Amino acid sequence: MSAEPADEARRVAFIFPIFNEEANIDLLHSTVDEVTRPLADRYAFSFIYVDDGSRDGSLAKLAALAERDDRVTVVELSRNYGHQLAVTAGLDLVDADATIIMDSDMQDPPRVALELIEKWEEGFDVVYAQRRSRQDSAFKKLTAGAFYWFLRKMAAVDIPKNTGDFRLVDRKVVDELRKYRERDRFLRGLVSYIGFKQTAVLFDRDKRHAGVTGYPLRKMLRFAADGILGFSVTPLRMITRFGYLISLLSFLGVLYVVGVKLFAPETAVPGWAFITIAMFFLGGIQIIMLGVLGSYIGRTYSQVQNRPLYTVASVRTGPPDPGERERTGADAGSAAR
């Protein structure tokens, strides 16, 4: 247990989304506790663990952790809602002067949090950890590089490359984030969109300590789509431009056919194969265009349903009291956002 902070100490909270991280929880908390201990006389640290419907023993480990450390709050979601909504649940609950969002697989080195706090003290409202290097597979590095390149070309806001959700955000930024309730969330894009004074801290990303990634290829592609569709209408503009291009090519084709008929009719050959290929090509283009339109329409449909983003099953804070330390049932349901 760290030293008791002064009453006027500024409050700094950590948010950890948890999904099947049973093998990482103890090491994560002990490392973060060790890293922050030298600053315990200046800051009041707290730790919010959001269990995102884990299927292993993560929740039991978190409950035991909350009993040992009264700075720990455990938020149990009613099912798996995904990384971005788990972080959102933590942001909706947190009450601190600064909040640090960090993954729980130990790839984000906890020691970097000290640098984030240092930059925050210099007056920055958002301090994001930017990867200088990463110990991932070649495929992961290639797809991540392609994603950030494509995102910078398409998005209407400047989203720094090689960044994840590992960052510190000031209280005023958290207050603004709570106003944004879209379902298909891309938090790093929202933070860039909100603005305020932002800066980067470079770091070298470590290997995952244990377990498997919560972002297989299918989820990575969906997450990339959320980033692009949520912050850009460029795909819709590209449909129009591509339509103009096809129309121009068709017009040139008509001129060519007319020219052959007028000036070299003996060379004209019935082009049934060409016509068939062209029809299939244009049909494929039309299907792709409908798919892009459908993606935007689907996001609109989900949003206008206005359903809660998530449902909280329980909240545990510190050792259990004879009174109510755990909110369940109706109380937890009221925390659905």
Short mmCIF file of all heavy atoms in Angstrom, two decimals, residues 170-205:
data_model
loop_
_atom_site.label_atom_id
_atom_site.label_comp_id
_atom_site.label_asym_id
_atom_site.label_seq_id
_atom_site.Cartn_x
_atom_site.Cartn_y
_atom_site.Cartn_z
N ASP A 170 -7.02 15.14 -19.30
CA ASP A 170 -7.39 16.01 -18.19
C ASP A 170 -8.90 15.89 -17.91
O ASP A 170 -9.67 15.42 -18.76
CB ASP A 170 -7.03 17.45 -18.53
CG ASP A 170 -7.21 18.39 -17.36
OD1 ASP A 170 -6.31 18.45 -16.50
OD2 ASP A 170 -8.27 19.07 -17.30
N ARG A 171 -9.31 16.33 -16.73
CA ARG A 171 -10.72 16.26 -16.35
C ARG A 171 -11.62 16.96 -17.37
O ARG A 171 -12.70 16.44 -17.71
CB ARG A 171 -10.91 16.91 -14.97
CG ARG A 171 -12.37 16.90 -14.50
CD ARG A 171 -12.56 17.73 -13.26
NE ARG A 171 -11.89 17.17 -12.10
CZ ARG A 171 -12.45 16.25 -11.31
NH1 ARG A 171 -13.67 15.80 -11.56
NH2 ARG A 171 -11.79 15.80 -10.26
N LYS A 172 -11.18 18.11 -17.89
CA LYS A 172 -12.04 18.84 -18.83
C LYS A 172 -12.24 18.04 -20.12
O LYS A 172 -13.31 18.11 -20.75
CB LYS A 172 -11.45 20.22 -19.14
CG LYS A 172 -10.11 20.22 -19.85
CD LYS A 172 -9.70 21.62 -20.27
CE LYS A 172 -9.29 22.47 -19.09
NZ LYS A 172 -7.95 22.09 -18.55
N VAL A 173 -11.24 17.26 -20.51
CA VAL A 173 -11.36 16.43 -21.71
C VAL A 173 -12.32 15.27 -21.44
O VAL A 173 -13.15 14.92 -22.29
CB VAL A 173 -9.98 15.91 -22.14
CG1 VAL A 173 -10.10 15.05 -23.40
CG2 VAL A 173 -9.02 17.07 -22.39
N VAL A 174 -12.23 14.67 -20.27
CA VAL A 174 -13.16 13.60 -19.90
C VAL A 174 -14.60 14.12 -19.90
O VAL A 174 -15.52 13.45 -20.39
CB VAL A 174 -12.79 13.01 -18.52
CG1 VAL A 174 -13.85 12.00 -18.07
CG2 VAL A 174 -11.42 12.35 -18.56
N ASP A 175 -14.79 15.31 -19.37
CA ASP A 175 -16.14 15.89 -19.35
C ASP A 175 -16.68 16.06 -20.77
O ASP A 175 -17.88 15.85 -21.02
CB ASP A 175 -16.12 17.24 -18.63
CG ASP A 175 -15.88 17.10 -17.13
OD1 ASP A 175 -16.10 15.99 -16.60
OD2 ASP A 175 -15.47 18.09 -16.49
N GLU A 176 -15.83 16.46 -21.69
CA GLU A 176 -16.26 16.61 -23.08
C GLU A 176 -16.54 15.25 -23.72
O GLU A 176 -17.52 15.10 -24.46
CB GLU A 176 -15.21 17.37 -23.89
CG GLU A 176 -15.11 18.84 -23.56
CD GLU A 176 -16.40 19.59 -23.84
OE1 GLU A 176 -17.01 19.36 -24.91
OE2 GLU A 176 -16.84 20.37 -22.97
N LEU A 177 -15.68 14.26 -23.45
CA LEU A 177 -15.88 12.94 -24.03
C LEU A 177 -17.22 12.34 -23.62
O LEU A 177 -17.84 11.60 -24.40
CB LEU A 177 -14.75 12.01 -23.59
CG LEU A 177 -13.43 12.11 -24.35
CD1 LEU A 177 -12.36 11.28 -23.68
CD2 LEU A 177 -13.61 11.68 -25.81
N ARG A 178 -17.67 12.65 -22.42
CA ARG A 178 -18.95 12.11 -21.95
C ARG A 178 -20.13 12.62 -22.77
O ARG A 178 -21.21 12.03 -22.73
CB ARG A 178 -19.14 12.45 -20.47
CG ARG A 178 -18.24 11.67 -19.54
CD ARG A 178 -18.30 12.19 -18.13
NE ARG A 178 -17.48 11.40 -17.22
CZ ARG A 178 -17.10 11.82 -16.02
NH1 ARG A 178 -17.47 13.02 -15.58
NH2 ARG A 178 -16.35 11.04 -15.25
N LYS A 179 -19.95 13.71 -23.49
CA LYS A 179 -21.04 14.25 -24.30
C LYS A 179 -21.20 13.48 -25.61
O LYS A 179 -22.24 13.58 -26.26
CB LYS A 179 -20.78 15.73 -24.61
CG LYS A 179 -20.69 16.62 -23.37
CD LYS A 179 -20.35 18.04 -23.78
CE LYS A 179 -20.18 18.96 -22.57
NZ LYS A 179 -19.79 20.33 -22.96
N TYR A 180 -20.18 12.74 -26.01
CA TYR A 180 -20.20 12.04 -27.30
C TYR A 180 -20.65 10.61 -27.07
O TYR A 180 -19.95 9.82 -26.45
CB TYR A 180 -18.80 12.07 -27.94
CG TYR A 180 -18.36 13.45 -28.35
CD1 TYR A 180 -17.90 14.37 -27.42
CD2 TYR A 180 -18.40 13.84 -29.69
CE1 TYR A 180 -17.50 15.64 -27.79
CE2 TYR A 180 -18.00 15.11 -30.08
CZ TYR A 180 -17.56 16.00 -29.12
OH TYR A 180 -17.16 17.27 -29.50
N ARG A 181 -21.84 10.27 -27.57
CA ARG A 181 -22.45 8.99 -27.25
C ARG A 181 -22.65 8.11 -28.48
O ARG A 181 -23.52 7.23 -28.48
CB ARG A 181 -23.80 9.20 -26.56
CG ARG A 181 -23.79 10.12 -25.37
CD ARG A 181 -22.71 9.79 -24.36
NE ARG A 181 -22.94 8.50 -23.70
CZ ARG A 181 -22.09 8.00 -22.80
NH1 ARG A 181 -20.97 8.64 -22.51
NH2 ARG A 181 -22.35 6.85 -22.23
N GLU A 182 -21.84 8.27 -29.55
CA GLU A 182 -22.01 7.38 -30.68
C GLU A 182 -21.63 5.95 -30.31
O GLU A 182 -20.76 5.71 -29.49
CB GLU A 182 -21.19 7.84 -31.89
CG GLU A 182 -19.72 8.05 -31.61
CD GLU A 182 -19.39 9.52 -31.51
OE1 GLU A 182 -20.09 10.23 -30.75
OE2 GLU A 182 -18.46 9.96 -32.18
N ARG A 183 -22.30 5.00 -30.94
CA ARG A 183 -22.12 3.59 -30.60
C ARG A 183 -20.82 3.04 -31.18
O ARG A 183 -20.11 2.30 -30.50
CB ARG A 183 -23.31 2.77 -31.12
CG ARG A 183 -24.65 3.18 -30.54
CD ARG A 183 -25.70 2.15 -30.87
NE ARG A 183 -25.33 0.83 -30.39
CZ ARG A 183 -25.50 0.43 -29.13
NH1 ARG A 183 -26.05 1.25 -28.25
NH2 ARG A 183 -25.16 -0.78 -28.77
N ASP A 184 -20.53 3.34 -32.43
CA ASP A 184 -19.33 2.82 -33.07
C ASP A 184 -18.18 3.75 -32.73
O ASP A 184 -17.84 4.67 -33.49
CB ASP A 184 -19.55 2.73 -34.59
CG ASP A 184 -20.73 1.83 -34.93
OD1 ASP A 184 -20.64 0.63 -34.69
OD2 ASP A 184 -21.74 2.36 -35.44
N ARG A 185 -17.56 3.50 -31.60
CA ARG A 185 -16.63 4.46 -31.01
C ARG A 185 -15.20 4.22 -31.48
O ARG A 185 -14.74 3.09 -31.64
CB ARG A 185 -16.69 4.40 -29.48
CG ARG A 185 -18.09 4.64 -28.95
CD ARG A 185 -18.15 4.59 -27.45
NE ARG A 185 -17.58 5.76 -26.81
CZ ARG A 185 -18.17 6.94 -26.74
NH1 ARG A 185 -19.37 7.11 -27.28
NH2 ARG A 185 -17.60 7.95 -26.13
N PHE A 186 -14.51 5.35 -31.67
CA PHE A 186 -13.09 5.36 -32.00
C PHE A 186 -12.49 6.44 -31.13
O PHE A 186 -12.39 7.61 -31.53
CB PHE A 186 -12.90 5.65 -33.49
CG PHE A 186 -11.50 5.47 -33.97
CD1 PHE A 186 -10.88 4.23 -33.97
CD2 PHE A 186 -10.78 6.56 -34.45
CE1 PHE A 186 -9.58 4.08 -34.43
CE2 PHE A 186 -9.48 6.41 -34.91
CZ PHE A 186 -8.89 5.17 -34.90
N LEU A 187 -12.12 6.07 -29.91
CA LEU A 187 -11.81 7.05 -28.87
C LEU A 187 -10.64 7.95 -29.23
O LEU A 187 -10.65 9.15 -28.95
CB LEU A 187 -11.55 6.33 -27.54
CG LEU A 187 -12.80 5.82 -26.83
CD1 LEU A 187 -12.43 4.95 -25.65
CD2 LEU A 187 -13.68 6.97 -26.37
N ARG A 188 -9.60 7.38 -29.84
CA ARG A 188 -8.45 8.23 -30.17
C ARG A 188 -8.84 9.29 -31.19
O ARG A 188 -8.30 10.39 -31.19
CB ARG A 188 -7.28 7.38 -30.67
CG ARG A 188 -7.51 6.67 -31.98
CD ARG A 188 -6.55 5.53 -32.20
NE ARG A 188 -6.85 4.40 -31.34
CZ ARG A 188 -6.30 3.19 -31.49
NH1 ARG A 188 -5.40 2.99 -32.44
NH2 ARG A 188 -6.63 2.20 -30.69
N GLY A 189 -9.80 8.96 -32.06
CA GLY A 189 -10.31 9.95 -32.99
C GLY A 189 -11.14 11.02 -32.29
O GLY A 189 -11.05 12.21 -32.61
N LEU A 190 -11.96 10.60 -31.32
CA LEU A 190 -12.76 11.56 -30.56
C LEU A 190 -11.88 12.52 -29.79
O LEU A 190 -12.16 13.72 -29.74
CB LEU A 190 -13.68 10.81 -29.60
CG LEU A 190 -14.89 10.09 -30.20
CD1 LEU A 190 -15.63 9.32 -29.13
CD2 LEU A 190 -15.83 11.08 -30.89
N VAL A 191 -10.80 12.01 -29.18
CA VAL A 191 -9.90 12.88 -28.43
C VAL A 191 -9.25 13.90 -29.35
O VAL A 191 -9.12 15.08 -29.01
CB VAL A 191 -8.84 12.04 -27.69
CG1 VAL A 191 -7.81 12.94 -27.03
CG2 VAL A 191 -9.50 11.16 -26.63
N SER A 192 -8.85 13.47 -30.55
CA SER A 192 -8.28 14.42 -31.50
C SER A 192 -9.32 15.43 -31.96
O SER A 192 -9.01 16.61 -32.14
CB SER A 192 -7.71 13.65 -32.71
OG SER A 192 -6.64 12.82 -32.34
N TYR A 193 -10.54 14.97 -32.15
CA TYR A 193 -11.61 15.86 -32.61
C TYR A 193 -11.94 16.93 -31.58
O TYR A 193 -12.20 18.08 -31.92
CB TYR A 193 -12.85 15.01 -32.91
CG TYR A 193 -14.05 15.79 -33.39
CD1 TYR A 193 -14.17 16.15 -34.74
CD2 TYR A 193 -15.06 16.18 -32.52
CE1 TYR A 193 -15.27 16.86 -35.19
CE2 TYR A 193 -16.15 16.89 -32.96
CZ TYR A 193 -16.26 17.22 -34.28
OH TYR A 193 -17.34 17.94 -34.72
N ILE A 194 -11.93 16.56 -30.29
CA ILE A 194 -12.26 17.51 -29.23
C ILE A 194 -11.25 18.64 -29.15
O ILE A 194 -11.60 19.79 -28.91
CB ILE A 194 -12.37 16.76 -27.88
CG1 ILE A 194 -13.64 15.90 -27.87
CG2 ILE A 194 -12.40 17.73 -26.71
CD1 ILE A 194 -13.74 14.98 -26.68
N GLY A 195 -9.98 18.30 -29.33
CA GLY A 195 -8.95 19.35 -29.33
C GLY A 195 -8.26 19.50 -27.99
O GLY A 195 -7.84 18.52 -27.40
N PHE A 196 -8.11 20.74 -27.51
CA PHE A 196 -7.31 21.10 -26.34
C PHE A 196 -5.82 20.94 -26.65
O PHE A 196 -5.44 20.51 -27.73
CB PHE A 196 -7.72 20.28 -25.10
CG PHE A 196 -9.10 20.58 -24.59
CD1 PHE A 196 -10.15 19.70 -24.82
CD2 PHE A 196 -9.37 21.74 -23.90
CE1 PHE A 196 -11.43 19.96 -24.36
CE2 PHE A 196 -10.65 22.02 -23.43
CZ PHE A 196 -11.68 21.13 -23.66
N LYS A 197 -4.99 21.27 -25.68
CA LYS A 197 -3.54 21.20 -25.86
C LYS A 197 -3.09 19.75 -25.77
O LYS A 197 -3.27 19.10 -24.74
CB LYS A 197 -2.83 22.05 -24.81
CG LYS A 197 -3.06 23.54 -24.94
CD LYS A 197 -2.35 24.31 -23.84
CE LYS A 197 -0.85 24.12 -23.92
NZ LYS A 197 -0.13 24.92 -22.89
N GLN A 198 -2.48 19.26 -26.85
CA GLN A 198 -2.09 17.86 -26.91
C GLN A 198 -0.61 17.74 -27.27
O GLN A 198 -0.07 18.55 -28.01
CB GLN A 198 -2.93 17.10 -27.94
CG GLN A 198 -4.43 17.23 -27.72
CD GLN A 198 -5.23 16.20 -28.49
OE1 GLN A 198 -4.69 15.22 -29.00
NE2 GLN A 198 -6.54 16.40 -28.54
N THR A 199 0.02 16.71 -26.74
CA THR A 199 1.42 16.44 -27.06
C THR A 199 1.66 14.95 -26.95
O THR A 199 0.83 14.20 -26.42
CB THR A 199 2.38 17.21 -26.12
OG1 THR A 199 3.71 17.10 -26.62
CG2 THR A 199 2.33 16.66 -24.70
N ALA A 200 2.82 14.50 -27.45
CA ALA A 200 3.15 13.08 -27.49
C ALA A 200 4.31 12.78 -26.56
O ALA A 200 5.16 13.62 -26.28
CB ALA A 200 3.50 12.66 -28.91
N VAL A 201 4.33 11.55 -26.08
CA VAL A 201 5.47 10.97 -25.37
C VAL A 201 5.85 9.69 -26.11
O VAL A 201 5.02 8.79 -26.26
CB VAL A 201 5.13 10.66 -23.90
CG1 VAL A 201 6.20 9.75 -23.29
CG2 VAL A 201 5.00 11.93 -23.09
N LEU A 202 7.07 9.61 -26.62
CA LEU A 202 7.51 8.44 -27.37
C LEU A 202 7.87 7.31 -26.41
O LEU A 202 8.42 7.53 -25.33
CB LEU A 202 8.71 8.79 -28.23
CG LEU A 202 8.49 9.87 -29.32
CD1 LEU A 202 9.79 10.13 -30.06
CD2 LEU A 202 7.40 9.43 -30.28
N PHE A 203 7.55 6.08 -26.81
CA PHE A 203 7.90 4.93 -25.99
C PHE A 203 8.06 3.70 -26.88
O PHE A 203 7.63 3.69 -28.04
CB PHE A 203 6.83 4.67 -24.92
CG PHE A 203 5.59 3.97 -25.42
CD1 PHE A 203 5.36 2.63 -25.15
CD2 PHE A 203 4.63 4.67 -26.17
CE1 PHE A 203 4.22 1.99 -25.60
CE2 PHE A 203 3.49 4.05 -26.62
CZ PHE A 203 3.27 2.70 -26.33
N ASP A 204 8.72 2.69 -26.34
CA ASP A 204 8.92 1.42 -27.04
C ASP A 204 7.93 0.40 -26.47
O ASP A 204 7.96 0.10 -25.28
CB ASP A 204 10.36 0.92 -26.85
CG ASP A 204 11.37 1.91 -27.41
OD1 ASP A 204 11.26 2.25 -28.61
OD2 ASP A 204 12.25 2.35 -26.65
N ARG A 205 7.09 -0.11 -27.34
CA ARG A 205 6.03 -1.02 -26.88
C ARG A 205 6.59 -2.41 -26.64
O ARG A 205 7.37 -2.93 -27.44
CB ARG A 205 4.91 -1.08 -27.92
CG ARG A 205 3.61 -1.61 -27.33
CD ARG A 205 2.48 -1.52 -28.34
NE ARG A 205 1.19 -1.65 -27.67
CZ ARG A 205 0.16 -2.30 -28.18
NH1 ARG A 205 0.26 -2.86 -29.36
NH2 ARG A 205 -0.98 -2.36 -27.53
#
